[in-house]
Amino acid sequence: MTQIKVEDVRVDFVIYQGSGKSLRKTIMNTGTGGVLSHDAHHRTFVQALSGISFSLERGDRLGLIGGNGAGKSTLLRVLAGVYEPTHGRVRVEGQVTPLFDISQGLDLDASGYDNISLRAAYLGISRQEIAKLMEDIAEFTELGEYLDLPMRTYSAGMMLRLAFGVATTVKSDILLLDEWIAVGDLSFLEKAQKRASSFVSKSNILVVASHSEDVIRRLCNKLLWLRKGECAAFGDVDEVMNRYKSEQLGLVLQSQSK
Amino acid sequence: MTDVDTRAPATTLVRETKDSDAAAPNEAALASPPTKQVVFDTGAGGQAVHAARDIIDGMTNISLWANIGWRDIKQRYKRSSLGPFWVTISMAFMVGTLGILYGMIFKMELGTYLPFICLGLIFWEFISKSIIEGSIAFLELEGLIKQIRLPLTIHIARYIWRNVIVLAHNAAIYVLLALAFGINPGWNGFLLVPGFLLVVLNLAWVSLALAICCARFRDVPMIVATVSQMLFFVTPVFWSPQVMPTRTVLVHGNPFYHMLEVVREPMLGNFPPLENWLFLLATLILGWGGTFMLFTKFRRRIAFWL
């Protein structure tokens, strides 16, 4: 049973200012007393998310919208299980495949083929399975002989093709995508969207953060609007999108009238 | 450490290998092939349970850390023609020059001194590199840690494993020396197995504890590098503990001395004294105890520190 349940999640980032991250300061501070005030003086919290609750069932395709720094990427990382919430509870059932920062987790000195198997290994795929999937992935990426060359020689779009190919080929129940659409060319976007659509049609869960209304309308059936780490609206795509756009429009008009 | 968020309730990740009671039998039959359901729940169980799970899952996922550790080594020497044997060659030079030089200084016979210093150097390389590299494991793998949920201890296992591979390459030097000087460790040679296991399990907690500290405090990697350099001279790597006139604390209180002894002595055909074994057992238990507490407390904050 694939599902995601998020209950009243809050994520705080502690900012260690410059040298505040060094051991010397902590030793000095505890040494000179004032352990209690230490927190108040040297730690700054950034509340990246707060009070987020929702649940997703099979077949749900959630879009995340919101301005820069609204917490979209943080929320995706919480769903991927790499950030554990400071408060609240996240329960994810099903194999998760994250696709965030595409160049991360790739080895630029290794060949494309090597990177496919490396990525798949991280995602928990056995060697035999990787060998079986290799052709499928290679075909999807359309990179041909480039797959034998080191990743160093790839463009950002080519890396995206590879990462996306692996993420959507391996068997998984939940796909998390972060702004992945930005660097692909048109023919790839078309293909990628088809892939993503077929992924969600197999009653899996997709969560995608994007600024593109087009992408969201095509892929999603639910929308979560984040504003400064809080849930501004959650629900039907049209309804939330309209509210989001009207607020954005209001902000633009406001700044113009000044 | 003052860096604890006491307000936070117990929230961690749990990995269950199968969906025990939630899925009714007919429902499971409907779902395509019966696959392992990966579930994580930040609200189930206490921090200690999740820390223990991380350690068990990380250590037992041998196929992943062995595969990636091996890849690390291949990658490091990808464009050199001799590959990992560069390690062996540079170590052989080190053994040869230091062996002859200190053999003359200590007025020792080469036939006994060369194998001794060879074992000392290759095991020291293993111990110190495991710790130095292991301590920056989380820092180096930030991108991965922030992207794919894996047990954190898997990274530690990977880093230790790749040093085991380097050690295996270096072992060739000793084999040659042993053949040349006619050294046969005999039955005592088999003590290398428990000795090495004891060393590796001790290195695992040291690496994990340091990796946690390094993620939080960025001065620690420098401290580790400095201290390990000093330890090279303090620990009887290239000098025999027997030349110490009295049984000083400097030697016998140094855990690295004991680590070295339980792997070096068996290879020379000697039985390492009970003291070595007991000391390492004690550090193993105490060290893992302390590290486990540290890991329990800070495990879920590590990703945020990076």
Side-chain angles (χ1 to χ4, degrees), chain B residues 263-286:
Chain B
V263 287
R264 180 165 57 188
E265 289 305 302
M267 282 287 87
L268 293 170
N270 307 323
F271 188 93
L274 199 61
E275 179 206 352
N276 298 145
W277 301 98
L278 291 179
F279 194 101
L280 289 182
L281 266 179
T283 55
L284 186 72
I285 293 162
L286 294 176

Side-chain angles (χ1 to χ4, degrees), chain B residues 44-89:
Chain B
Q47 288 298 320
V49 176
H50 302 315
R53 284 232 181 216
D54 186 300
I55 293 169
I56 294 165
D57 288 349
M59 298 295 166
T60 54
N61 195 346
I62 298 170
S63 64
L64 183 57
W65 55 252
N67 174 3
I68 294 172
W70 180 241
R71 181 189 294 272
D72 283 344
I73 294 291
K74 280 200 290 190
Q75 210 53 51
R76 202 183 288 175
Y77 300 99
K78 184 126 200 172
R79 287 166 76 177
S80 77
S81 43
L82 288 176
F85 284 99
W86 269 117
V87 187
T88 319
I89 292 166

Side-chain angles (χ1 to χ4, degrees), chain B residues 12-57:
Chain B
T12 12
L13 297 180
V14 152
R15 188 181 196 155
E16 286 165 19
T17 42
K18 64 169 192 261
D19 207 352
S20 47
D21 48 350
N26 58 340
E27 200 182 344
L30 277 178
S32 45
T35 49
K36 282 196 295 182
Q37 271 288 19
V38 178
V39 177
F40 72 87
D41 188 345
T42 62
Q47 288 298 320
V49 176
H50 302 315
R53 284 232 181 216
D54 186 300
I55 293 169
I56 294 165
D57 288 349

Side-chain angles (χ1 to χ4, degrees), chain A residues 1 16 21-22 43 77 79 81-82 84-86 88-90 92-94 98 100-101 104 107 114 122, chain B residues 3 8 11-13 19 37-42 68 71 75 143 145-147 158 216 219 299-300 305:
Chain A
M1 185 64 182
Y16 304 96
K21 213 167 182 171
S22 82
R43 300 213 309 182
R77 291 206 150 94
L79 296 180
V82 294
E84 294 187 20
T86 326
R89 180 172 179 173
V90 179
V92 173
E93 225 172 290
F100 303 151
D101 191 344
Q104 290 290 1
D107 182 343
D114 276 349
Y122 282 139
Chain B
D3 198 49
T11 57
T12 12
L13 297 180
D19 207 352
Q37 271 288 19
V38 178
V39 177
F40 72 87
D41 188 345
T42 62
I68 294 172
R71 181 189 294 272
Q75 210 53 51
I145 291 172
K146 284 190 179 170
Q147 182 142 236
R158 162 188 178 173
R216 174 65 182 83
D219 304 57
R299 188 190 53 81
R300 67 204 183 90
W305 288 341

Side-chain angles (χ1 to χ4, degrees), chain A residues 9 21 54 105 125 141 193 256:
Chain A
V9 159
K21 213 167 182 171
F54 62 86
I125 314 298
T141 60
Q193 293 202 1
Q256 275 174 352

